[in-house]
Amino acid sequence: MSKDGLNKNETAPEYLEQLTWESHQAVTELLQTAHLKQGDLLVVGCSTSEVAGERIGSYSSPQMAEAVFAGIDSAAREQGVFLAAQCCEHLNRALILEKEAAEKYGYEPVNVVPQPKAGGSFATAAWKQFSQPVAVEHIRAHAGIDIGDTLIGMHLREVAVPVRISQKAIGSAHVVCARTRYKFVGGARAVYDEALL
C-alpha cells in the first residue's frame, strides 16, 4: 500500500470475480425484496477498505471498487433502477448518478469529480462507468445498500425499513440494506393500504 492510503496491490482475478458476484446477488435480492420499480433510486455506500478487511478509509482499492460496482450496476440495470454512488465524508457524502436520474428527480448538480482518496474508490468507479455522470449533494432514495458501514441513511426517504438479505457481507465488509415506505398518517380510525407497507 502506498503512503497516501491507496491500495495499489494487484488483487487476484478470482477474488474480484467473487466480489462482483456477491455484489450482484446482494442488490438483486434487495431490489426484489424492496419491490423497487423501474425508475426508482437506489443509493449505495461502499468502503473498499472494509471490503478488503481493513479500517474504513485506510486501504482504498480502485480494483475492488470496479468489481463491486460492476455487480451492483448490472443488477440495477436489470431492474431499470437508477444507481447513486455515495462519496466518502471528504466530499460530505455527495452522490454520483446519471444525469438522467438527476434531471428526473430535480437534483441540482454540483462541480466535483471524485477521486479514490477524495470521494472514494467506489464513487470514482461510478463516475468512470456512468455515461453522463453528475455529482449532487442530496437525494431521497427509495432503497439503499451500505457496504462497510458508510452511513447512507441521510440519503434515504424519511421512513426507512431494514431489509434482511442472505448476503451478509461483500468481501469482508458488513452489508446493511434498507427500503423506504410511505408515512402513516391519521389516528385510531385510520385505515392503511396493506400493499404499501
Side-chain angles (χ1 to χ4, degrees), residues 7-144:
N7 176 5
K8 295 181 180 173
N9 298 329
E10 285 295 316
T11 304
E14 305 79 36
Y15 185 63
L16 295 175
E17 288 174 16
Q18 176 187 332
L19 293 178
T20 300
W21 183 85
E22 289 175 355
S23 302
H24 187 275
Q25 290 299 109
V27 171
T28 297
E29 188 175 350
L30 168 61
L31 295 179
Q32 291 170 351
T33 304
H35 305 292
L36 265 64
K37 61 185 186 306
Q38 188 168 359
D40 281 352
L41 193 54
L42 172 71
V43 62
V44 178
C46 176
S47 167
T48 56
S49 300
E50 294 280 335
V51 170
E54 302 293 333
R55 184 179 50 81
I56 193 168
S58 69
Y59 202 72
S60 189
S61 171
Q63 273 191 313
M64 289 183 195
E66 289 170 11
V68 172
F69 178 83
I72 292 171
D73 187 53
S74 172
R77 287 180 188 276
E78 287 167 9
Q79 299 295 318
V81 170
F82 288 118
L83 176 59
Q86 178 180 270
C87 296
C88 67
E89 73 272 15
H90 295 96
L91 296 186
N92 298 324
R93 293 192 175 90
L95 302 117
I96 307 304
L97 63 163
E98 289 282 12
K99 183 179 179 183
E100 178 186 358
E103 289 176 347
K104 174 180 177 170
Y105 288 101
Y107 300 138
E108 184 177 351
V110 295
N111 187 0
V112 70
V113 177
Q115 304 299 309
K117 293 301 290 178
S121 290
F122 184 78
T124 302
W127 184 272
K128 289 178 180 177
Q129 295 303 316
F130 284 156
S131 60
Q132 290 187 290
V134 296
V136 302
E137 290 186 284
H138 307 285
I139 64 169
R140 304 307 285 167
H142 299 89

